[in-house]
Amino acid sequence: MKNKFYVTTPIYYPNDVPHVGHAYTTIAADILTRWHKIKGDDVFFLTGTDEHGKKIENAAKKNGKKPKEFVDMLVPKFKEAWKKLNIEYDRFIRTTDKDHEKIVSEVLKKVYEKGDIYKGEYSGLYCVGCEAYYTEKDLIDGCCPIHKTKTEVIKEESYFFKLSKYQKKLLDFYKKNPEFISPPYRKQEVINRVKEGLNDLSISRASFSWGIPLPFDKKHVCYVWMDALFNYYSATQMKGKEKFWPADVHLVGKDIIWFHTVYWPAFLLSAGIELPKKVFAHGWWTFDKEKISKSQGKVINIDELVKIAGVDSARYFLFRAIPFGEDGDFSEETLIARHNNELANKLGNLVSRVTTLAEKYGIEKTENKLLKRLRLKEIEKHIDKYEFDKALNEIFAFIDVCNEYVQSQKIWETKNKKQLYELVDSIKSIAILLWPFIPETSEKIAKNIGFEIKLENIEKLLVVKKIKKSEILFKKI
Ligand code: MSP
């Protein structure tokens, strides 16, 4: 039987067009999806938009639109962006989708009937940018630590979720599932905060109406994070998709790790639903050391990103430049340098030289001894541990091996058909392994040489007899 693999991105607020920060998580999910596809797994990749709440309501108002009208206008921008980046998701969920709203309503009812929701009064601070509650001690100079804007003071009737009841259960769960919060260096901070104690969570608002009504009190709408988190589950509650729950990994930015590793498992425990296997939090991209964000004005949108050096170079740069998990500073110059020095000079040159020689002198099937120098097991381990930069390093180390082989054997003089076969067969393996990262280029190579992009084909010798010279894969900038 095939293994299943279910990966999610956060669902993005469609209050503006997507930027490189959103692209980062979405490409990471695409890399994992493609990786599992070449392994032959049954994959489900979910992304989408988080459309309810005060933040969207405010943005719509500012644009003179009704919330639904406003999000309907922005959602296509996300879909277009993902298309431009060659993202192959299976479902784009919107929290305004009827099936999702129905699941949220059912879950709320269940949790309420269980006695985990009670009515009270919320009095405290709220950041609309984060859609999150804060206490005085969280603030920096009286402002939200993330958006650096003043928080709102709220005092209103609200329903509360008994989060405090789940403190011990959560701590036990983290202990039994040491990889649930990843990377490991992000784990302790969450655990320490949970140990300090958990306050019950206000999960409804009655002062605005853009949300899912509570089934037991229609004057209130559900807190946007409770609504949003359930997207991961509701997307699997349709025919043929149930088998994908629980999620194998939720990819998230480090700013929303708390929602995913505390609120989310607590809601699921209360609703009696199985918990996801892993939450992996990545770092932030900055631009001139400032967080790239819509609210703070430093933005690189998807068109700008792709325009620098093309889709594959953008995808490659984001995952080669920094370890997935850590922060990085975005720089157009480094992207171009990597495009020129690594993609054009190393990969592009290898493919161009080898296919030109192979076209001219022909190839002859033989055992591929070069392939022994490909550290396949290491590459697999790195990808399975989300160490994409290390996986790429290994693949490029093998590209170096192949380039050196051409050079040291002086193949243009010896015209050795067997060695040319080894090189073409090695390019096949390189293209297969690079497909998750730079699909467009890999597909060009596969089409040109003639093989199917599957992991098992690395170990099967290439059967083609004639090679055509490849087009130029990366033009230097
Ligand atoms: N709607 C919520 C998520 C709900 S998931 C149930 C949300 N949306 S968001 O649009 O504000 O952000 C989505 C993701 O983008 C977060 O994971 C955030 O970390 C990520 N990024 C936003 N800016 C970023 C960078 N500059 N760099 C990397 N990722 C960043 O939060």
Side-chain angles (χ1 to χ4, degrees), residues 16 32 71 94 96 100 125 131 158 207 264 319 334 338 342 384 388 441:
D16 206 336
L32 286 174
V71 292
R94 302 179 54 177
T96 51
H100 168 76
L125 305 169
E131 293 279 22
S158 176
S207 56
W264 180 221
F319 290 90
T334 346
R338 287 197 183 267
E342 292 158 22
D384 288 336
F388 303 125
T441 306

Side-chain angles (χ1 to χ4, degrees), residues 82-131:
W82 302 155
K83 202 167 170 192
K84 281 180 192 153
L85 289 168
N86 274 328
I87 309 279
E88 283 182 359
Y89 55 79
D90 293 291
R91 176 165 174 192
F92 188 104
I93 194 170
R94 302 179 54 177
T95 49
T96 51
D97 287 343
K98 288 289 160 265
D99 63 330
H100 168 76
E101 294 190 339
K102 186 165 161 268
I103 296 284
V104 172
S105 201
E106 282 169 14
V107 168
L108 281 163
K109 197 158 164 272
K110 199 161 169 194
V111 174
Y112 182 66
E113 280 164 4
K114 188 173 177 181
D116 278 352
I117 292 178
Y118 63 91
K119 199 180 198 174
E121 189 188 57
Y122 179 77
S123 151
L125 305 169
Y126 193 79
C127 169
V128 177
C130 300
E131 293 279 22

Side-chain angles (χ1 to χ4, degrees), residues 9-15 19-22 24-25 49-50 55 78 129-130 147 225 228-232 251-256 260 282-286 290-294:
T9 73
I11 47 172
Y12 305 106
Y13 292 124
N15 59 332
H19 59 68
V20 73
H22 306 126
Y24 190 47
T25 333
T49 39
D50 186 356
K55 180 174 174 125
F78 282 81
C130 300
H147 292 88
W225 268 100
L229 285 162
F230 272 97
N231 90 86
Y232 303 133
L251 298 177
V252 302
K254 63 180 184 181
D255 51 327
I256 55 174
H260 283 81
H282 63 71
W284 276 344
W285 280 98
T286 53
E290 286 281 329
K291 187 183 168 205
I292 298 167
S293 87
K294 296 177 271 209

